[in-house]
Amino acid sequence: MLKIAIQAKGRLNEESMSLLADAGISAASGSRKLISKAKGFPMEILYLRDDDIPQAVAMGVADIGIVGLNEVAEKGEKVDEVMSLGFGACRISIAVPRETEYTDATWLNGRRVATSYPHILAKYFADNNISAEIHEIAGSVEIAPTVGMADAIFDIVSSGGTLIQNGLREVEQVFFSEAVLIATPSLPDEKLAEIDKLKFRLRSILDSRDMKYVLMNLPRTAVDEAVKILPGMKSPTLLPLTQPDWCSLHVVIPESELWEKIELLKNIGAEDILILNLENIIR
C-alpha cells in the first residue's frame, strides 16, 4: 500500500484532494485526522505541513507526496520528481517598496532581503554575483520593509495583490513553481508499479483539463476543409446522418483554440455545434 503526503490545509490541500477525487480516490479531510485510508486505491494519506513533505518523502515516511516545487527546491531533500500536476502555479520574486528607485539586481548589493526561502535566494545571489544579507522570516514577509527589518523581500507571488496592499512592487521574478508529485528514491518494484497506476489515473485527468469535446453537423462537401481546421487527437471522427449530404463530426479541441475554430467551422457551413466538458482522456 502506498503512503502519500499532502498538505494538511490550504489551497494545495483542496486542489490535491480534488485531483484525487477526480481519479476515483477519496478520503477523509485533513482537518479531522492526520492520516486516513483512501477508498478507490490502495493508499494511505498523511496530512502534513507543506514544508515537511519533502523530508517525509526523502526519509520514506511517505512513499510519494504532492507539494510545491518551491518547497522541494528550498529543502534540498533527495527525492524524485515524478510528474507536474498543473495546479498551484506561483512564482517567488524580489519586491521592493513602491517608491524605491530600483534599476536592476545590482541594487541589492549591500541590502538586506527578508524571505522564507533563504536557500533559493542564496543560490540566486550566488548565480548573479550579488552580495546581500539574507534575513530569514517564518511568516508575514511582506511587512518587513515597512517595519524597517529589510530593504526588500523575496516571497511567493500569485496575483500580486498582497504586494500592492503592502506598498511593494515586484522587480525580479526568480523561481517559478507548481504542484509536483515526488517520490522516495529507490522504492521497491511493487511500489513503483502502484505509482505507475496512480500516474495513469492522474494523467488521464490532467490531459482532459482545458480540452473540449465538440460535435457538429457538417455538409459532406466541407469535410476536407474541416479536417484541415481540426486535425483532432489523431483525426476527427466522422459519422453519417440520415440526410445524405450531411455528416456529424466529433473532435477534441484545446479550450484556448475553441472559439477561433468555431468561427472557422461556421464559415464553412457547420451547424448545431455542441460543446461538452471532458472528464478523462485515456491514451
Side-chain angles (χ1 to χ4, degrees):
M1 178 179 291
L2 287 177
K3 290 185 178 180
I4 183 172
I6 69 169
Q7 189 178 44
K9 58 182 179 180
R11 187 161 61 95
L12 283 191
N13 168 275
E14 295 169 2
E15 296 190 72
S16 299
M17 295 302 290
S18 176
L19 177 61
L20 292 176
D22 288 344
I25 304 168
S26 62
S29 168
S31 62
R32 284 177 272 172
K33 51 175 65 179
L34 299 178
I35 185 170
S36 65
K37 188 174 180 179
K39 296 179 181 178
F41 196 85
M43 186 165 67
E44 285 185 333
I45 300 178
L46 283 64
Y47 300 98
L48 305 176
R49 284 171 50 97
D50 58 346
D51 51 359
D52 290 334
I53 292 176
Q55 183 181 29
V57 173
M59 293 174 62
V61 174
D63 304 306
I64 54 178
I66 296 177
V67 68
L69 186 60
N70 56 306
E71 293 296 343
V72 178
E74 178 60 27
K75 298 306 178 183
E77 299 284 355
K78 292 184 178 180
V79 297
D80 293 335
E81 294 176 25
V82 176
M83 64 186 296
S84 298
L85 298 176
F87 62 85
C90 64
R91 59 191 180 274
I92 311 180
S93 299
I94 292 172
V96 300
R98 188 182 299 116
E99 67 279 3
T100 300
E101 294 182 5
Y102 183 93
T103 52
D104 55 37
T106 59
W107 179 91
L108 297 165
N109 283 310
R111 314 276 184 176
R112 177 183 286 185
V113 183
T115 186
S116 300
Y117 297 95
H119 293 98
I120 297 175
L121 182 58
K123 183 179 185 303
Y124 172 75
F125 284 166
D127 291 345
N128 291 274
N129 298 313
I130 295 168
S131 176
E133 179 184 348
I134 297 175
H135 184 60
E136 186 174 357
I137 298 178
S140 301
V141 173
E142 64 276 357
I143 69 168
T146 303
V147 299
M149 295 177 66
D151 303 295
I153 70 166
F154 180 63
D155 201 18
I156 286 181
V157 178
S158 294
S159 66
T162 301
L163 295 182
I164 294 173
Q165 291 172 9
N166 288 276
L168 302 171
R169 62 186 176 94
E170 186 178 15
V171 292
E172 301 288 345
Q173 297 181 356
V174 174
F175 189 91
F176 293 87
S177 178
E178 67 174 305
V180 292
L181 183 69
I182 59 173
T184 307
S186 304
L187 285 170
D189 289 344
E190 60 268 23
K191 290 203 172 183
L192 292 175
E194 291 301 309
I195 292 173
D196 284 341
K197 292 178 183 177
L198 178 63
K199 286 170 57 182
F200 175 78
R201 292 198 194 188
L202 299 183
R203 179 56 58 198
S204 75
I205 302 299
L206 298 177
D207 284 350
S208 70
R209 290 183 173 176
D210 302 320
M211 303 291 283
K212 297 294 183 182
Y213 188 78
V214 181
L215 304 81
M216 70 201 74
N217 292 332
L218 190 74
R220 285 192 174 275
T221 55
V223 168
D224 290 343
E225 195 168 355
V227 170
K228 292 177 183 178
I229 298 170
L230 298 171
M233 295 173 68
K234 283 190 172 62
S235 64
T237 299
L238 202 63
L239 299 174
L241 296 179
T242 55
Q243 191 170 344
D245 295 334
W246 285 77
C247 59
S248 176
L249 187 144
H250 300 209
V251 70
V252 175
I253 306 176
E255 188 172 12
S256 61
E257 302 176 14
L258 178 65
W259 294 108
E260 176 188 353
K261 301 294 188 184
I262 294 297
E263 289 175 4
L264 293 173
L265 292 163
K266 289 285 289 181
N267 289 339
I268 64 171
E271 296 181 0
D272 307 320
I273 300 171
L274 301 181
I275 302 169
L276 306 175
N277 291 325
L278 284 172
E279 290 188 2
N280 303 77
I281 294 178
I282 308 298
R283 296 186 186 274

Coordinates of all heavy atoms in Angstrom, one line a residue, residues 1-2 187-197:
M1 N 0.8 -1.2 0.0 CA 0.0 0.0 0.0 C 0.9 1.2 0.0 O 1.8 1.4 0.8 CB -0.9 0.0 1.2 CG -1.8 1.2 1.3 SD -2.9 1.2 2.8 CE -4.0 -0.1 2.3
L2 N 0.6 2.2 -0.9 CA 1.3 3.4 -0.9 C 0.9 4.4 0.2 O -0.2 4.4 0.7 CB 1.0 4.2 -2.3 CG 1.7 3.6 -3.5 CD1 1.2 4.4 -4.7 CD2 3.2 3.6 -3.5
L187 N 12.5 3.1 -4.5 CA 11.4 2.3 -4.0 C 11.4 0.9 -4.6 O 11.9 0.7 -5.7 CB 10.1 3.0 -4.3 CG 9.8 4.2 -3.5 CD1 8.5 5.0 -4.1 CD2 9.5 3.9 -2.0
P188 N 10.9 -0.1 -3.9 CA 10.8 -1.4 -4.4 C 9.8 -1.5 -5.6 O 9.0 -0.6 -5.8 CB 10.2 -2.3 -3.3 CG 9.6 -1.3 -2.3 CD 10.4 0.0 -2.5
D189 N 10.0 -2.5 -6.5 CA 9.3 -2.6 -7.7 C 7.8 -2.6 -7.5 O 7.0 -2.1 -8.3 CB 9.7 -3.9 -8.5 CG 11.1 -3.8 -9.0 OD1 11.6 -2.7 -9.1 OD2 11.7 -4.8 -9.4
E190 N 7.3 -3.3 -6.5 CA 5.8 -3.3 -6.3 C 5.3 -1.9 -6.0 O 4.1 -1.6 -6.4 CB 5.5 -4.3 -5.1 CG 6.0 -4.0 -3.8 CD 7.4 -4.7 -3.5 OE1 8.1 -5.0 -4.5 OE2 7.7 -4.9 -2.3
K191 N 6.0 -1.1 -5.3 CA 5.5 0.3 -5.1 C 5.6 1.1 -6.3 O 4.8 2.0 -6.6 CB 6.2 0.9 -3.9 CG 5.9 0.3 -2.6 CD 6.1 1.2 -1.4 CE 5.5 0.6 -0.1 NZ 5.7 1.4 1.1
L192 N 6.7 0.9 -7.1 CA 6.8 1.6 -8.4 C 5.6 1.3 -9.3 O 5.1 2.1 -10.0 CB 8.1 1.3 -9.0 CG 9.4 1.8 -8.3 CD1 10.6 1.3 -9.0 CD2 9.4 3.4 -8.3
A193 N 5.2 0.0 -9.3 CA 4.1 -0.4 -10.1 C 2.8 0.3 -9.7 O 2.0 0.7 -10.5 CB 3.9 -1.9 -10.0
E194 N 2.6 0.5 -8.3 CA 1.5 1.2 -7.8 C 1.5 2.7 -8.2 O 0.5 3.3 -8.6 CB 1.3 1.0 -6.3 CG 1.0 -0.4 -5.8 CD -0.3 -0.8 -6.4 OE1 -1.3 -0.1 -6.3 OE2 -0.4 -1.9 -7.0
I195 N 2.7 3.2 -8.2 CA 2.9 4.6 -8.6 C 2.5 4.8 -10.0 O 1.9 5.8 -10.4 CB 4.3 5.2 -8.3 CG1 4.5 5.2 -6.8 CG2 4.5 6.5 -8.9 CD1 5.9 5.6 -6.4
D196 N 2.9 3.9 -10.9 CA 2.6 3.9 -12.3 C 1.1 3.9 -12.5 O 0.5 4.6 -13.4 CB 3.2 2.8 -13.1 CG 4.7 3.0 -13.3 OD1 5.2 4.2 -13.2 OD2 5.4 2.0 -13.6
K197 N 0.4 3.1 -11.7 CA -1.1 3.0 -11.8 C -1.7 4.4 -11.4 O -2.6 4.9 -12.1 CB -1.6 1.9 -10.9 CG -1.3 0.5 -11.4 CD -1.8 -0.5 -10.4 CE -1.4 -1.9 -10.8 NZ -1.9 -2.9 -9.8

